[in-house]
Amino acid sequence: MNSSSTHFVTSRRIGIYEPLHQISTWGESFKTNGCPNTSASTIAELEAKLDNQSEDTSHGTPGPSEKYDQEATKPVDKVQRRLAQNREAARKSRLRKKAYVQELESSRVKLMQLEQELERARQQGLYIGGGLDAGHLGFSGAVNSGIAAFEMEYGHWVEEQSSQICELRTALHAHISDVELRILVETAMNHYFNLFRMKATAAKADVFYMMSGMWKTSAERFFLWIGGFRPSELLKVLVPQLDPLTDQQILDVCNLRQSCQQAEDALTQGMEKLQQILAEAVAAGQLGEGSYIPQLATALEKLEAVVSFVNQADHLRQETLQQMARILTVRQAARGLLALGEYFQRLRALSSLWATRPREPA
């Protein structure tokens, strides 16, 4: 994603210059040949040639200058068509978003009704001791309206990512210009940044849900690190797909991986310390008190720090993508984003295959 601006330099020739130059040339020819008695028919023939050239330039087949201008404007036309396609895609995306926002509103009403029913059930003693978490009732956290909204948005995010992967793959095979390819790269990058913003909002609603990775497939959760992928490990997966790299690029990627590992170690140690503090807060108090309010109130105050850790981990993921964008060329960046998207697609496919595998009878 090392970007160098593309300049289109167009040199123009005014069509009338060539006939005038030829008039001058022919005039010198007359003098050289020493033919003072040039006939009127010869002059008329020359005038006819000039008229034919002028007609060719203005009415007939495009002259050399027009052909050159048409060739020069082709890349610009491609970019304009591409921008028009992006605007149309954005319009469709807005329509889809409007549709699922309306669906969210409908779901919110249903969730409120469900919460009221659960509350009535608790009051009637159906959940004795309140020991059953509503999230275990099979609603995948949907009792929390914030998480329900995130799940729906994430479903659309995955669909959009699949579409972008196909577009990147087609563009790379078609060998389109770097200007067009940069538009696709920036769109794909912003798509990941949107996911991080969605996660930040959802973490405020239920940070445990985000930390557990329940919104991901089982194979993705196997590689989970503070609510997402570990940047340094992902670099190891992606870099082989980017060859050939220059010596400077290899050095920059190695430095980036080392910085990622240091930041990951710091966040991991901080999370472990926080878990210890939370465990001590929950376990505090006298045995057999029967009241957990003081201990849980103290632990609750510490949970804001967990939200902060999730956001910091996503910030590290975003910074890693941006740094790779600066290190790589546009075409390398497109290949990297394609490899990243396909990597997650394969993990999701692996989860499906594992879930549907044939099982031996007990």
Side-chain angles (χ1 to χ4, degrees):
M1 305 192 241
N2 249 351
S3 60
S4 58
S5 301
T6 305
H7 300 280
F8 299 102
V9 180
T10 306
S11 62
R12 297 178 177 271
R13 301 179 192 169
I14 307 304
I16 196 171
Y17 287 178
E18 294 179 359
L20 289 176
H21 174 68
Q22 292 183 7
I23 289 174
S24 175
T25 303
W26 289 330
E28 293 295 327
S29 177
F30 296 154
K31 292 178 182 179
T32 303
N33 294 334
C35 301
N37 297 324
T38 305
S39 65
S41 62
T42 304
I43 296 175
E45 183 180 350
L46 294 177
E47 289 177 349
K49 288 183 179 179
L50 290 176
D51 291 340
N52 289 337
Q53 288 184 355
S54 177
E55 289 177 3
D56 288 343
T57 303
S58 57
H59 302 293
T61 305
S65 62
E66 289 187 7
K67 290 181 180 178
Y68 190 87
D69 288 346
Q70 290 174 1
E71 291 295 328
T73 56
K74 281 182 180 179
V76 179
D77 292 340
K78 284 184 179 180
V79 173
Q80 290 175 346
R81 286 197 301 271
R82 183 66 198 160
L83 291 174
Q85 291 173 357
N86 284 348
R87 285 193 293 269
E88 178 63 17
R91 185 184 69 83
K92 292 179 179 179
S93 178
R94 286 193 296 270
L95 291 175
R96 288 197 301 268
K97 185 175 182 180
K98 182 178 179 181
Y100 76 73
V101 165
Q102 292 174 348
E103 187 178 350
L104 278 175
E105 182 62 25
S106 175
S107 298
R108 187 182 67 83
V109 175
K110 294 179 181 178
L111 288 171
M112 290 175 61
Q113 295 173 349
L114 178 60
E115 289 174 346
Q116 292 173 357
E117 292 175 4
L118 288 172
E119 184 61 29
R120 284 196 297 269
R122 289 191 183 97
Q123 291 175 358
Q124 294 170 4
L126 295 180
Y127 299 107
I128 300 174
L132 183 60
D133 187 352
H136 294 162
L137 298 178
F139 302 120
S140 185
V143 173
N144 187 323
S145 59
I147 294 303
F150 172 78
E151 287 185 341
M152 186 171 294
E153 289 177 343
Y154 182 67
H156 287 284
W157 188 92
V158 171
E159 292 176 2
E160 183 65 23
Q161 187 192 38
S162 298
S163 175
Q164 290 180 2
I165 289 171
C166 293
E167 201 167 5
L168 277 171
R169 188 184 298 115
T170 301
L172 287 170
H173 289 164
H175 303 291
I176 66 173
S177 69
D178 285 355
V179 175
E180 295 173 284
L181 201 55
R182 182 177 298 281
I183 295 173
L184 296 180
V185 167
E186 291 177 353
T187 300
M189 292 277 288
N190 289 329
H191 192 58
Y192 281 101
F193 300 160
N194 287 336
L195 174 60
F196 300 145
R197 285 190 286 269
M198 289 160 48
K199 289 174 62 182
T201 301
K204 294 179 181 178
D206 188 347
V207 68
F208 294 122
Y209 174 85
M210 298 306 299
M211 285 287 294
S212 68
M214 293 303 297
W215 44 285
K216 286 182 169 290
T217 60
S218 55
E220 289 176 294
R221 289 199 299 271
F222 182 71
F223 296 98
L224 198 69
W225 174 77
I226 312 184
F229 60 83
R230 187 183 288 270
S232 63
E233 291 298 323
L234 205 60
L235 287 176
K236 294 179 183 178
V237 173
L238 295 183
V239 168
Q241 307 297 325
L242 304 176
D243 286 336
L245 295 172
T246 65
D247 292 341
Q248 184 61 49
Q249 286 178 321
I250 293 173
L251 178 61
D252 290 341
V253 170
C254 288
N255 290 335
L256 176 60
R257 184 187 301 161
Q258 184 177 3
S259 299
C260 286
Q261 288 173 340
Q262 292 173 351
E264 290 164 8
D265 291 343
L267 286 173
T268 300
Q269 292 172 9
M271 180 61 70
E272 290 174 353
K273 182 64 176 177
L274 180 59
Q275 288 176 333
Q276 180 182 349
I277 293 173
L278 282 172
E280 292 173 352
V282 172
Q286 298 296 322
L287 183 65
E289 280 182 324
S291 175
Y292 308 136
I293 300 301
Q295 295 89 340
L296 297 184
T298 303
L300 194 61
E301 295 174 358
K302 308 295 183 183
L303 292 183
E304 287 296 329
V306 182
V307 176
S308 176
F309 271 101
V310 173
N311 293 337
Q312 288 182 58
D314 276 343
H315 180 70
L316 177 59
R317 287 182 266 267
Q318 180 168 330
E319 283 293 315
T320 303
L321 289 174
Q322 290 175 327
Q323 288 296 330
M324 286 296 290
R326 298 184 183 100
I327 294 172
L328 302 177
T329 65
V330 174
R331 202 158 294 274
Q332 286 172 331
R335 284 162 49 199
L337 287 167
L338 176 60
L340 181 62
E342 288 184 343
Y343 176 74
F344 290 128
Q345 279 187 333
R346 291 170 186 175
L347 285 179
R348 289 192 285 267
L350 180 61
S351 299
S352 298
L353 290 173
W354 175 253
T356 58
R357 72 191 186 283
R359 293 174 173 80
E360 296 180 0

